[in-house]
Amino acid sequence: MSNNLQDSPIKFLKRNFNIKRIGTLVKRGAVSLKNEGVEATWRKVDFRIKLMTRGDVWKFRSDIPLKKELKAQRAHIFEHMPKISIVVPLYNTPQKYLHDMIDSVYKQSYKNWQLVLVDASDKDLPYIKKIVDGFKDNRIIYKKLAENKGISENTNKGFELADGDYIALLDHDDVILPNALYENVKAINEKGADVIYSDEITLDGDLKNLIQFHFKINYSPDFLRGVNYITHFLVFKKRLFEEVGAYENPEYDGAQDFDLTLRLTEKAKCVYHIPKVLYYWRGHIGSTANDMSTKMYAFEAGRKAIQAHLDRIGLKGEVSIQKYPGSYRTVYEIEGNPMVSIVIPNKDHIEDLSRCIESIFNLGGWENLQVIVVENNSTEQKTFNYYDKIIADNKKVKVVYYKGDFNFSAICNFGVKYANGEHILLLNNDVEFITENSIKEMLSYSQRKDVGAVGAKLYYPDDTLQHAGVIIGINGSAGHSHKGLANAKENTGDMYRLVTTQNYLAVTGACLMTKKELYNKFPLDEENFAVAYNDIDYCLRVYEAGYLNVFTPYSEGYHYESKSRGLDETDKPNPRYEMEKHNFAQKWGKYFNYNDPYYNPHFTLLYENYGYK
């Protein structure tokens, strides 16, 4: 992809996407452009590229195998050649859709498959059997059901006929790419995967024009509880399926596959994501892909499925449907009354500090608090006057004095020594909470045994986004997800990533909660990351120790972005920053070049805007 920084936005799109009639598209609102000097960005309400030009459909050529690749795949012999049973419930399926779906399975480069078609059409449609028979393939099993008992029961009839080692789910009006099964069998052999899913795109009814793409992340249990991002192409081991209950539950009709996915991932040894588009979801009129409102009942079924999932795994929480279709929130019950010690490094700027502390007590939503202000080299007398006043007015506030040059890691480590709480909240003095129960929300995740660090959603004062999780590898180091996105309080982001709780490799130390026990084990690195990357380094060490790091959009604040110290990213050379960036690359370079499990390799590493690379 060209990254000529001198390109205008229009030249950038023409050069990289071969799109014609750019000016017309901009005028009618199909594409909006914003030139930020070195960046050409394109944004719509949901932060996706939606280039609806006839004849210039989906630019995913890297995912579509060449003829020679398919030929090699057909000849390839894996150590394990499992049979994959693809189960498809039919219901009044249009002729073209049915033929396209079966044909996409028939043309698979991997040949050890079985296609199970269970037909619950409400009237006799003779063309269905005629199309099936026309393929003349004994791997295709067709059964006409006596009655329509609903999607779950119909699918269960298909499961009964499936005799493969693995089972796959395919909708009757969708298609899979010819390498879909090959890629899954490759994952089974190389990764030992027992639950597998891949990327997908939604096209129009004729499979000609792109509606949207679903470039997914690796398995993220918190994200899955917020939205069913896995969906298609779901393949799973039959033994695992039998272990969790070999059926779909009619109680969750409309979200029956979501319920099954939750049950499978609870028990799976290896949930694997193939970062390739292997599935085309047809977004025709009346389909869920085209209009989520056509199945509003499915959202309640999804909520019930998540609630049942939490009950099974022993997490105490209450699930609710959010205002964005198909998104959910879990409010976890806090056990006991743990103390949270909030460590705030500070040098002067008492206006910022005062606003920060006021928001803690007004909007934090948690009473058992200790605020530790770590004073470092302030020069203004009014700063010390403020300290005296706040200590006198509020017994929960303590000021300790770090004497030495500015070293953020050392200052935080010093402050934590005075912490009495079971949880530590590292907080910049220029952060102001703006939503109720912000600290309580973060604590509800930090208390979980499987969670290491928790981060909040932060905005610049103009409501553009400052932080919603950290992506490793952006610009050769790390970047904030969706950073700079305008109207960030209303924008859902890529695949609802701005409005659902999810896992990232790291979150910003500007507002980071963690267990004190973990912090004592992994204190911030004072030598290699005195100012920059110390928070990300901490999160990565915690991640490699087996913990999940969580971003929650339900704890929100304004971040006035390092007002008290200034930014590292200036035009002037900064040897200290460059050395810490070098140290970070040396230590964590293995996560660069699309090895961040919570970022998709279809997206660019140049910017944080989720642009297609």
Side-chain angles (χ1 to χ4, degrees):
M1 185 174 190
S2 167
N3 61 350
N4 185 349
L5 301 183
Q6 303 305 313
D7 279 353
S8 69
I10 288 178
K11 285 183 179 180
F12 182 87
L13 286 174
K14 283 183 176 179
R15 181 189 299 273
N16 292 298
F17 293 95
N18 192 29
I19 303 297
K20 300 177 181 179
R21 298 183 292 107
I22 291 289
T24 302
L25 288 169
V26 172
K27 288 179 181 178
R28 75 184 190 195
V31 178
S32 61
L33 302 175
K34 180 181 179 182
N35 191 348
E36 298 179 349
V38 298
E39 178 180 352
T41 63
W42 47 99
R43 295 181 175 123
K44 207 168 169 20
V45 173
D46 62 354
F47 208 60
R48 299 176 187 278
I49 301 172
K50 292 186 177 180
L51 302 176
M52 310 287 284
T53 56
R54 290 189 176 278
D56 192 79
V57 192
W58 12 290
K59 295 290 181 178
F60 312 120
R61 300 309 178 195
S62 62
D63 289 352
I64 301 176
L66 301 173
K67 289 183 179 180
K68 63 180 181 179
E69 293 174 321
L70 292 173
K71 182 178 179 180
Q73 290 175 9
R74 285 190 287 269
H76 187 80
I77 304 297
F78 289 101
E79 181 178 349
H80 179 39
M81 300 283 283
K83 177 189 280 191
I84 299 181
S85 294
I86 304 172
V87 176
V88 184
L90 306 179
Y91 180 74
N92 296 343
T93 312
Q95 294 186 55
K96 176 174 173 50
Y97 296 176
L98 177 63
H99 183 275
D100 288 350
M101 180 271 294
I102 298 176
D103 190 55
S104 73
V105 176
Y106 184 75
K107 291 180 178 178
Q108 289 297 300
S109 60
Y110 181 79
K111 297 302 180 181
N112 192 14
W113 53 261
Q114 175 190 49
L115 178 60
V116 179
L117 306 173
V118 284
D119 185 8
S121 299
D122 58 12
K123 55 185 175 181
D124 184 26
L125 298 174
Y127 66 78
I128 292 182
K129 189 67 165 62
K130 183 178 180 180
I131 290 174
V132 173
D133 292 342
F135 281 89
K136 296 182 172 62
D137 194 315
N138 59 13
R139 293 174 297 179
I140 302 176
I141 309 299
Y142 172 80
K143 181 179 179 61
K144 182 70 173 76
L145 301 180
E147 59 179 317
N148 178 15
K149 291 189 176 182
I151 184 64
S152 293
E153 292 292 7
N154 296 344
T155 305
N156 289 338
K157 292 295 182 181
F159 290 150
E160 293 174 4
L161 298 172
D163 59 11
D165 305 291
Y166 281 73
I167 296 174
L169 296 178
L170 174 61
D171 287 351
H172 69 157
D173 48 0
D174 298 337
V175 299
I176 53 176
L177 266 68
N179 60 327
L181 295 185
Y182 174 88
E183 295 291 347
N184 276 269
V185 174
K186 182 180 178 183
I188 291 168
N189 278 268
E190 294 181 358
K191 306 297 181 180
D194 46 8
V195 175
I196 313 163
Y197 62 98
S198 54
D199 293 342
E200 61 188 285
I201 60 176
T202 302
L203 303 173
D204 63 7
D206 295 327
L207 299 180
K208 290 183 178 180
N209 294 300
L210 174 68
I211 296 176
Q212 62 184 349
F213 47 71
H214 292 167
F215 295 153
K216 306 170 188 176
I217 62 177
N218 289 4
Y219 177 53
S220 169
D222 285 292
F223 193 24
L224 188 59
R225 292 167 196 149
V227 61
N228 182 14
Y229 75 95
I230 288 181
T231 57
H232 309 114
F233 177 47
L234 185 64
V235 178
F236 46 91
K237 197 171 188 176
K238 189 174 184 180
R239 287 184 184 176
L240 175 65
F241 179 52
E242 292 169 343
E243 181 182 347
V244 303
Y247 62 89
E248 288 196 337
N249 193 334
E251 182 180 353
Y252 305 110
D253 271 0
Q256 70 287 337
D257 292 348
F258 189 19
D259 168 64
L260 178 59
T261 299
L262 290 166
R263 288 189 282 127
L264 290 168
T265 54
E266 290 168 20
K267 299 288 187 179
K269 294 180 180 178
C270 177
V271 181
Y272 187 73
H273 164 228
I274 300 172
K276 294 184 177 182
V277 174
L278 301 179
Y279 192 100
Y280 291 167
W281 193 353
R282 200 187 300 259
H284 57 87
I285 295 175
S287 75
T288 306
N290 186 62
D291 181 6
M292 295 293 283
S293 67
T294 60
K295 291 189 176 180
M296 293 298 294
Y297 70 92
F299 305 144
E300 173 58 19
R303 186 200 66 77
K304 290 168 58 179
I306 299 170
Q307 190 69 62
H309 156 75
L310 294 176
D311 293 343
R312 285 192 300 270
I313 65 175
L315 283 179
K316 297 179 181 179
E318 184 174 345
V319 183
S320 60
I321 300 172
Q322 298 303 287
K323 66 178 180 178
Y324 302 105
S327 65
Y328 305 90
R329 178 187 181 184
T330 297
V331 176
Y332 291 99
E333 178 184 324
I334 296 178
E335 298 184 7
N337 186 33
M339 174 181 281
V340 176
S341 293
I342 304 173
V343 176
I344 308 175
N346 187 69
K347 177 185 177 181
D348 294 317
H349 289 275
I350 61 170
E351 294 82 4
D352 292 324
L353 179 62
S354 175
R355 181 174 53 230
C356 174
I357 292 177
E358 285 180 12
S359 73
I360 288 170
F361 290 102
N362 292 336
L363 295 172
W366 195 249
E367 292 295 325
N368 196 7
L369 294 174
Q370 175 192 27
V371 176
I372 303 168
V373 178
V374 187
E375 156 59 30
N376 177 229
N377 299 330
S378 291
T379 59
E380 300 174 2
Q381 183 56 45
K382 63 181 180 179
T383 300
F384 300 97
N385 294 340
Y386 173 76
Y387 291 159
D388 292 340
K389 184 177 186 304
I390 190 67
I391 292 172
D393 291 345
N394 194 328
K395 294 181 180 179
K396 294 182 179 181
V397 178
K398 182 182 185 71
V399 177
V400 298
Y401 291 79
Y402 177 84
K403 300 185 182 298
D405 294 336
F406 178 65
N407 180 317
F408 184 83
S409 294
I411 292 170
C412 290
N413 291 342
F414 179 80
V416 169
K417 293 179 181 178
Y418 294 88
N420 298 322
E422 300 167 54
H423 299 265
I424 302 296
L425 174 59
L426 301 182
L427 190 63
N428 278 21
N429 64 349
D430 57 354
V431 169
E432 175 190 10
F433 290 115
I434 59 175
T435 52
E436 293 184 358
N437 298 319
S438 287
I439 294 174
K440 182 179 181 181
E441 168 71 12
M442 298 180 76
L443 176 60
S444 73
Y445 286 92
S446 185
Q447 68 164 353
R448 277 178 25 196
K449 294 180 180 180
D450 61 337
V451 171
V454 185
K457 187 177 183 181
L458 301 177
Y459 309 95
Y460 292 115
D462 63 357
D463 288 340
T464 57
L465 192 71
Q466 193 270 337
H467 172 266
V470 175
I471 302 165
I472 308 300
I474 296 287
N475 282 318
S477 57
H480 289 183
S481 172
H482 297 88
K483 185 177 180 180
L485 178 63
N487 193 29
K489 290 181 180 178
E490 298 300 326
N491 204 307
T492 62
D494 179 74
M495 288 184 65
Y496 284 172
R497 296 197 71 175
L498 291 183
V499 294
T500 51
T501 302
Q502 63 207 261
N503 305 114
Y504 278 93
L505 281 181
V507 294
T508 181
C511 183
L512 182 156
M513 187 179 292
T514 188
K515 300 173 181 66
K516 184 180 179 182
E517 177 185 8
L518 275 179
Y519 192 98
N520 287 338
K521 187 175 182 180
F522 302 106
L524 298 191
D525 188 335
E526 302 176 16
E527 180 178 353
N528 296 303
F529 306 110
V531 179
Y533 300 105
N534 40 56
D535 48 357
I536 305 173
D537 173 71
Y538 174 81
C539 289
L540 288 171
R541 284 183 286 149
V542 167
Y543 172 79
E544 292 204 336
Y547 294 88
L548 295 170
N549 295 320
V550 174
F551 157 73
T552 171
Y554 304 110
S555 177
E556 299 176 279
Y558 283 123
H559 185 195
Y560 298 89
E561 190 64 48
S562 304
K563 279 189 174 183
S564 60
R565 294 292 178 177
L567 289 169
D568 277 322
E569 298 84 350
T570 66
D571 293 333
K572 298 179 181 179
N574 187 332
R576 190 267 312 151
Y577 173 74
E578 292 301 326
M579 177 56 70
E580 292 179 356
K581 183 177 181 180
H582 171 77
N583 293 342
F584 182 77
Q586 288 291 106
K587 185 173 183 180
W588 299 112
K590 63 183 176 181
Y591 290 112
F592 292 11
N593 196 27
Y594 296 109
N595 286 315
D596 183 330
Y598 304 115
Y599 194 62
N600 190 289
H602 285 94
F603 294 129
T604 180
L605 285 174
L606 295 176
Y607 317 115
E608 298 108 323
N609 69 348
Y610 286 75
Y612 182 58
K613 68 179 181 182

